[in-house]
Amino acid sequence: MLVVFALILLALVLFATEWLPIDVTAILVMVLLMILEPWTQITPREGISGFASPATITVLAMLILSTGINRTGIVQRLGQKMAAFAGTNRPKQLAATIGITGPVSGFINNTPVVAILVPVIADLAHEGKTSPSKLLMPLSFASMLGGTLTVIGTSTNILASDIAARLGAESPELGLQAFEMFEFTKLGVVVFVVGALYLMTVGVRLLPERVPVEDDLVEEYALQEYLADIVVPANSSLIGQTVGEALGDDELDIDVLQLIRYGERFSEPLARKEIHENDTLRVRTNRGTLERIMNAEGVTFLGGPQSESDLHEDDEEPVLVEVVIPSGSFLVGETLASSTFRQRYDANVLAFRSRGEVVRDRFEDIRIRVGDTLLVQAPPDSLTRLVQNEDFIVAHEFDNVNYRSEKIPFAVAIIAGVVALPALNVLPIVVSALAGVVAMIGTGVLKPNELYKSVEWNVIFLLAGVIPLGTALQQTGAASLIGEAVASTATFLPAIGVLWVFYIATGLLTSVISNNASVVLMIPVAASAAQSIGANAFAFVLAVTFAASTAFMTPVGYQTNLFVYGPGGYTFSDFLRVGAPLQLLLSVVTVLGIAFFWGVRV
């Protein structure tokens, strides 16, 4: 038990600090469990069992099905109808955001739903003269609330169902089994409605206006001091050199964004462009570097763009957009320098926002994490490539994206079948989900070569890595020990109070580590505690599942929070201020709902 506790502590530290990517941490823990088999009681077969787990395979299939839905453009269509309905009316904008996102997230994995809707909502805010900060956090929260409606709404629900089935098979007296498709939908509806009402009344008043209503990215990122136009006079030593030779020194931290010659503007590629007399170079750099260049090369400071409109004066000019890095992106773990981002996409990064902090210089060697936001200036053709690449979420909607809209009927029918067959007890969820994948390929909703790109492999490796940790908790008796310790609170708390303690503990844990890791650690403990006090084990498992699926208090508690962190201009405290009251409110609503629908005592 001590060895398992030490491994759990190691996992918690690594998850919270992100010293390693969370999927790498999970695999590390899995390997250590097998290496330390005499103490952990995890054989190699049990150690790799997560890869064959129905939960892992179901999540993999649901990610592919979600991509199929995305390829048809149906979510975008719903978003556009939402925008048309809401117009410039702020309460309508918020209601439409929550009303579309929640129900859709109950049937499609909620992470890609948010990724699709971020640009739709950002544009809705811009068109309606509303700060995106007022809508993007509710978008993320609504997707989490919607994920509680069905088993397939989140990977957390699917994993919790699998753990419950395993515990039920090992200890039949617990009375646990895999969740049915709509087993907790009635509670999910209550949670969704209460959460939506909170966001529409209290939450909207607590939400900040971090991003200016005018949506000027130059002003939002305070770039005025970092953008400059310099003129090359006749006596400058830069004349005759290429841009790359003259200003390509990495130590200078300077990017040449544009070369202007007799009114004609040149963007990428600029490295081999020869500098002539009277050329104007638009550069991104800090004032210290600019002064060095002026003194050394004899260039003249002309001024600089003060707003976004100054950066692109016509349709052919490079466009300025925010680009969010989702999980699974090739950029995660890389730096802008090592990824050769600029060369690949002919795009300049003007600023970098990570965990609420904006960096405007010396960001080429910062390691990129999920949810980081790049402020990118790119010509229209490069921007199209960024929009069509699933390694990025471009926080602005563009019309030139091709969807397979003719396949919408097939996609909707397949998802309906995937949901209906398990609900009617015809097929297990894992079988119906895999059958849905085959159907999507057969009907042309997805192409075979898109299967592997559809899967967020970091999520799959995370699940496969943490599942054996739950097994070790159970087999070494560590879960029972912790469960009995928590169950001791029953001497001064009623069973429903102990249930609430588990909800709060899971919510706090999920705020600093992965939600999937939370259910793996907490469900065996909750089931043991329920058994110790003679309570309904299903009630305790459900409380943990709902708490892990609704992590509102920190931006790192849930992936969708990271997607809106940058475009919303939020700080860490914004999530705490808006999310903590909601988490507390839902802890009471969920626990009372469980007691009402299923009872706490056996």
Side-chain angles (χ1 to χ4, degrees), residues 440-459:
M440 281 201 169
I441 296 295
T443 56
V445 176
L446 275 174
K447 298 183 185 303
N449 63 351
E450 292 174 331
L451 281 178
Y452 306 101
K453 298 176 185 176
S454 303
V455 180
E456 294 179 25
W457 291 105
N458 60 329
V459 174

Side-chain angles (χ1 to χ4, degrees), residues 560-581:
T560 58
N561 286 347
L562 287 173
F563 290 177
V564 302
Y565 197 4
Y570 299 115
T571 63
F572 194 96
S573 61
D574 291 332
F575 284 88
L576 190 62
R577 185 176 60 256
V578 182

Side-chain angles (χ1 to χ4, degrees), residues 487-511:
S488 65
T489 60
T491 56
F492 55 88
L493 284 177
I496 196 170
V498 181
L499 185 67
W500 182 78
V501 167
F502 268 102
Y503 185 102
I504 294 296
T506 305
L508 292 173
L509 187 62
T510 306
S511 295

Side-chain angles (χ1 to χ4, degrees), residues 368-447:
I368 298 170
R369 297 184 286 180
V370 174
D372 286 352
T373 304
L374 311 178
L375 182 62
V376 172
Q377 185 185 36
D381 59 334
S382 295
L383 193 58
T384 300
R385 286 192 289 140
L386 287 173
V387 170
Q388 294 175 342
N389 193 324
E390 292 180 356
D391 285 315
F392 312 104
I393 301 170
V394 178
H396 177 69
E397 197 175 16
F398 294 89
D399 297 328
N400 55 350
V401 182
N402 295 320
Y403 296 110
R404 297 168 191 152
S405 52
E406 73 281 0
K407 300 293 184 181
I408 287 177
F410 293 107
V412 172
I414 290 166
I415 291 295
V418 168
V419 172
L421 291 173
L424 297 172
N425 293 319
V426 176
L427 290 174
I429 292 174
V430 63
V431 179
S432 73
L434 288 172
V437 170
V438 174
M440 281 201 169
I441 296 295
T443 56
V445 176
L446 275 174
K447 298 183 185 303

